[in-house]
Amino acid sequence: MSGGLLVAGTTSDAGKSVVTAGICRWLVRQGVKVAPFKAQNMSLNSFVTREGAEIGRAQAMQAQACRVEPTALMNPVLLKPGGEQSSQVVLLGKPVGELSARGYHGGRQQRLLGTVLDCLAELRGTYDAVICEGAGSPAEINLRRTDIVNMGIARNAGLPVLVVGDIDRGGVFASFFGTVALLSPEDQALVAGFLVNKFRGDVSLLEPGLDMLHGLTGRRTYGVLPFRHGLGIDEEDGLGVRNSRASAPVGEDVLRVAVCAVPLMSNFTDADALAAEPGVVVRFVDRPEELADADLVVVPGTRGTVRALEWLHERGLADALVARAAEGRPILGICGGFQILGEHIEDEVESRRGRVEGLGVLPLRVRFAPEKILTRPEGEALGERVEGYEIHHGVAEVTGGEPFLDGCRVGQTWGTHWHGSLESDGFRRAFLREVAAAAGRRFVPAPDTSFAALREEQLDRLGDLIEQHADTDALMRLIESGAPQGLPFIPPGAPA
């Protein structure tokens, strides 16, 4: 078997990442050696592989669904927005420059097609099946000429296409029909059918519409996935907390965590491990008064450290953070947030603003270097083993305080470049005990919360959705044999 499938969507956030992960977990439970693939990803949530390559965080979680180690082959092109008009281009895990949207779609993107196809071919030569995820919609007719992630990759690699639609948004039948009808005959020949996502209610009431859709398009629906709360893996750009557990706290109090919603926030998935603890309430905030009742304030990573610092000043949050630090109330700065808490930043790389004064609550000076640091550090803090990953241009010179995960701590203000450290269960519990004591809360971390086990449970639930609510026999035939022959053309097709 050397099968493949492209999971496309009628829109962004239709559920492509979740469906791809679910199909991967279902396949691996059938004994299929499977890998995920996304040719081009635009996301500020990224991950560092063991070989030191940066890829989209969603692809790392899809690799976990496959029970394989993530590699740069699984996401050869990653775009990291740096503002309204430009993105950093990460190729095979390493940054290669900044490009405007016009510059990227004006030619650079198409030149990457060969690299993308080589990566996909290598994966298909290694695995029984490769489940590819598209981006946005395949019917973005203004971008079709340079497309390397939707029908561009499907056409070149001969992949059948499954189109996912989010029925919870409404208009799913029009979206399915319109997606097919705006594709060229050659592209339409690869669109095998549809998958309905987030359906609420009685499926029998939907079936007449599915029958009519089949009559109109000649394409079947491969499944109707019900709406489930709490599902989802690390997303590309959706701001929210996953793995939240609504169970009662172990101790007498809850612990309130406020995450500053800074511009170009990156890897805000760090908050997920906190939300996984029973009794920890996490919310994203953008006003100083929202810090008043917080037991812990997190200043997260950002792709625009200087811009985020300016935003904190504009919002009045900077003064609130400085006052909070002086009062000895807990603050955790991660990556860009760590840099913001320092004395000053010298940036000729990201913002090119030169020297900028930080909040001055931690004894460190930051200089941005052209080379990006991409590592998977391991260490110890609070008597517990910790693992994490680093993704940053800023080089920190720590001049005082207590050591903390290659960063520092002063009183109850903590700072580190390590993303993912809170996923280490023992360390997370020890850290939350310190926070609770400093905040005067009778909060007790649960002794048995395993973040890794919660991830596995979540991925298994996605696999269950596919197994229980999709036509898995038909889906397997599609992966093994490709799109059915003789699929009808639906006019008008793509514009000339």
Side-chain angles (χ1 to χ4, degrees), residues 214-233:
H214 183 270
L216 288 166
T217 67
R219 289 158 175 86
R220 59 168 300 169
T221 298
Y222 283 76
V224 177
L225 306 186
F227 187 97
R228 292 286 186 268
H229 287 286
L231 286 180
I233 58 174

Side-chain angles (χ1 to χ4, degrees), residues 12-86:
S12 295
D13 202 30
K16 296 183 294 290
S17 296
V18 167
V19 169
T20 299
I23 292 173
C24 286
R25 178 49 61 100
W26 161 67
L27 282 171
V28 80
R29 294 196 309 209
Q30 309 310 305
V32 178
K33 186 180 179 184
V34 59
F37 180 78
K38 185 160 187 173
Q40 172 195 295
N41 196 346
M42 178 173 279
S43 178
L44 287 170
N45 282 339
S46 58
F47 182 75
V48 179
T49 67
R50 293 209 177 274
E51 72 266 30
E54 185 180 8
I55 66 171
R57 179 96 186 186
Q59 279 62 65
M61 290 300 102
Q62 288 164 355
Q64 185 177 346
C66 298
R67 297 179 179 147
V68 298
E69 191 68 32
T71 73
L73 294 173
M74 297 172 183
N75 179 206
V77 181
L78 174 64
L79 306 178
K80 303 195 73 175
E84 293 294 326
Q85 300 294 330
S86 67

Side-chain angles (χ1 to χ4, degrees), residues 15 115 147 163 178 229-230 386 392 452 479:
T115 299
D147 171 42
V163 180
H229 287 286
V386 189
H392 54 94
I479 293 167

Side-chain angles (χ1 to χ4, degrees), residues 155-208:
R155 283 269 293 277
N156 280 278
L159 294 171
V161 179
L162 183 68
V163 180
V164 178
D166 179 356
I167 197 169
D168 197 48
R169 294 183 173 191
V172 74
F173 292 116
S175 298
F176 281 147
F177 183 87
T179 296
V180 179
L182 281 176
L183 299 178
S184 69
E186 295 82 2
D187 286 349
Q188 286 194 24
L190 294 172
V191 178
F194 314 106
L195 187 76
V196 176
N197 191 30
K198 296 185 183 177
F199 179 71
R200 304 172 190 252
D202 185 346
V203 176
S204 66
L205 299 177
L206 188 67
E207 287 172 351

Side-chain angles (χ1 to χ4, degrees), residues 85-87 89 98-106 108:
Q85 300 294 330
S86 67
S87 293
V89 180
E98 297 272 342
L99 276 180
S100 67
R102 181 180 294 273
Y104 185 67
H105 290 287
R108 179 64 180 269

Side-chain angles (χ1 to χ4, degrees), residues 404-422:
F404 174 68
L405 299 180
D406 292 344
C408 63
R409 169 191 182 182
V410 174
Q412 290 301 320
T413 302
W414 317 62
T416 177
H417 273 132
W418 292 23
H419 293 291
S421 62
L422 294 166

